[in-house]
């Protein structure tokens, strides 16, 4: 049985120990706004609460798009041309959520169910495993409206796909199809459209049976490695191993190995 919790332009569907997060503004193809980012922040905090019992999360989009990037059509108070200093908006409403996703305490899967444009692609890059529908495509459209790429894309992309492909993606601002994105190493899996969510849920369910606390430490190990020197990384690994070695799941893993059985991890 699943239950639904709603936040601003975000829903969270609980399916046992998996939290299915949806960007939920389909009339704009899930365009990003400060309101949606606030809702996403609230959703992530809700999912991380121990009493919720979640051990893996999936982020996808409602309707036929994952995310169409910044909302360029809205007028009135939310008009992008009336928001003033866009750098201030990023610092206040957008970047805190990216940092929250980076420090998320469980595996985060991304299911790209349609176009992932602009900041939508940046959101996708925060996931541990990115699955895409065969019809999905990616596009960094910033230069087409006179803006520079943001959302950490100019920092992350060269580290994921290399500088040459990054420059192609951000300067030409052309569409990148799912199959080519897989070939480039930008994403991890491609599925037929109607099977995408099924595949994401199956993988998430498998991950709920893994040692969640340790997976959180693993996420920190590879995220922090991007900033660390070799010596700093060795020290971080020793620190994290000290923490992992004190978990109940480590003891269970060793005992299961000795007893020649499958481990039953509790996530702690």
């Amino acid at each position: 049985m699943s239950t639904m919790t709603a936040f601003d332009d975000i829903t969270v569907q609980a399916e046992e120990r998996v939290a299915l997060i949806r960007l939920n503004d389909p009339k704009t193809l899930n365009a990003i706004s400060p309101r949606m980012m606030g809702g996403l922040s609230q959703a992530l905090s809700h999912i991380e609460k121990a009493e919720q019992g979640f051990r893996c999360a999936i982020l996808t989009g409602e309707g036929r798009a994952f995310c169409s990037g910044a909302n360029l059509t809205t007028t009135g108070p939310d008009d992008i041309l009336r928001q003033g200093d866009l750098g201030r908006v990023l610092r206040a409403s957008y970047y805190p959520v990216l940092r929250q996703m980076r420090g998320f305490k469980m595996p985060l899967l991304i299911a790209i169910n349609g176009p992932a444009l602009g900041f939508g692609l940046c959101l996708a890059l925060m996931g541990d495993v990115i699955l895409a529908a065969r019809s999905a495509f990616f596009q960094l459209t910033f230069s087409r409206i006179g803006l520079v790429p943001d959302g950490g894309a100019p920092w992350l992309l060269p580290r994921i796909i290399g500088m040459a492909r990054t420059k192609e993606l951000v300067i030409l601002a052309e569409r990148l199809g799912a199959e080519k994105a897989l070939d480039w190493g930008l994403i991890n899996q491609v599925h037929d459209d109607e099977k995408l969510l099924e595949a994401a849920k199956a993988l998430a369910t498998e991950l709920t049976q893994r040692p969640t606390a340790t997976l959180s430490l693993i996420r920190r190990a590879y995220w922090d490695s991007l900033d660390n020197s070799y010596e700093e990384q060795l020290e971080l690994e020793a620190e994290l191993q000290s923490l992992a070695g004190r978990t109940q799941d480590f003891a269970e893993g060793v005992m299961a190995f000795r007893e020649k059985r499958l481990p039953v991890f509790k996530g702690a």
Side-chain angles (χ1 to χ4, degrees):
M1 180 178 178
S2 65
T3 59
M4 185 83 74
T5 305
F7 302 91
D8 288 343
D9 294 335
I10 298 289
T11 62
V12 175
Q13 184 175 341
E15 299 192 3
E16 296 184 351
R17 294 179 293 180
V18 175
L20 178 60
I21 311 166
R22 283 189 171 91
L23 308 178
N24 188 37
D25 191 12
K27 66 182 181 298
T28 67
L29 300 182
N30 303 318
I32 289 290
S33 67
R35 171 186 166 88
M36 178 180 283
M37 293 301 284
L40 181 56
S41 177
Q42 292 177 326
L44 294 171
S45 296
H46 168 79
I47 291 165
E48 284 188 313
K49 291 178 181 177
E51 60 266 28
Q52 298 299 329
F54 293 120
R55 292 174 63 179
C56 188
I58 302 168
L59 177 63
T60 191
E62 182 65 39
R64 61 187 180 89
F66 176 73
C67 175
S68 59
N71 191 334
L72 304 180
T73 60
T74 296
T75 57
D78 294 328
D79 188 335
I80 193 171
L81 295 177
R82 298 178 63 182
Q83 290 181 19
D85 183 346
L86 295 182
R88 177 190 57 79
V89 176
L90 288 173
R91 294 187 190 101
S93 300
Y94 289 53
Y95 287 174
V97 186
L98 294 183
R99 295 186 181 102
Q100 191 176 358
M101 294 174 78
R102 172 172 170 158
F104 197 52
K105 302 303 182 186
M106 65 190 72
L108 177 61
L109 310 184
I110 310 294
I112 307 293
N113 56 304
L117 311 181
F119 202 90
L121 172 55
C122 303
L123 281 181
L125 295 177
M126 304 307 296
D128 300 302
V129 180
I130 305 173
L131 306 87
R134 206 167 300 279
S135 67
F137 64 88
F138 305 86
Q139 191 173 14
L140 286 177
T141 50
F142 296 92
S143 66
R144 291 180 179 264
I145 59 169
L147 292 178
V148 299
D150 55 33
W155 188 83
L156 276 172
L157 285 171
R159 291 164 168 80
I160 297 171
I161 61 175
M163 184 61 77
R165 285 172 170 166
T166 295
K167 289 187 288 187
E168 178 181 344
L169 202 58
V170 300
I171 296 296
L172 300 183
E174 295 175 344
R175 291 186 179 188
L176 180 70
E179 296 287 357
K180 191 171 183 179
L182 180 63
D183 182 60
W184 278 16
L186 181 65
I187 63 176
N188 302 98
Q189 299 178 17
V190 174
H191 297 275
D192 292 338
D193 290 28
E194 67 276 9
K195 296 181 179 178
L196 173 67
L197 202 53
E198 177 186 343
K201 289 179 180 180
L203 180 56
T205 299
E206 179 183 342
L207 288 171
T208 64
Q209 301 171 39
R210 304 285 181 88
T212 310
T214 300
L215 293 179
S216 174
L217 299 177
I218 291 171
R219 294 188 89 245
R220 181 181 166 193
Y222 64 66
W223 272 111
D224 287 7
S225 73
L226 298 172
D227 299 317
N228 286 345
S229 68
Y230 179 69
E231 290 298 327
E232 289 169 336
Q233 185 66 20
L234 291 181
E235 182 55 36
L236 174 63
E237 291 168 8
E239 174 190 335
L240 297 178
Q241 205 67 296
S242 293
L243 296 173
R246 291 195 287 269
T247 62
Q248 298 174 28
D249 283 342
F250 167 65
E252 166 63 12
V254 172
M255 292 306 299
F257 178 82
R258 291 175 178 174
E259 296 169 5
K260 296 181 174 55
R261 60 175 175 83
L262 293 175
V264 181
F265 294 121
K266 303 297 184 183

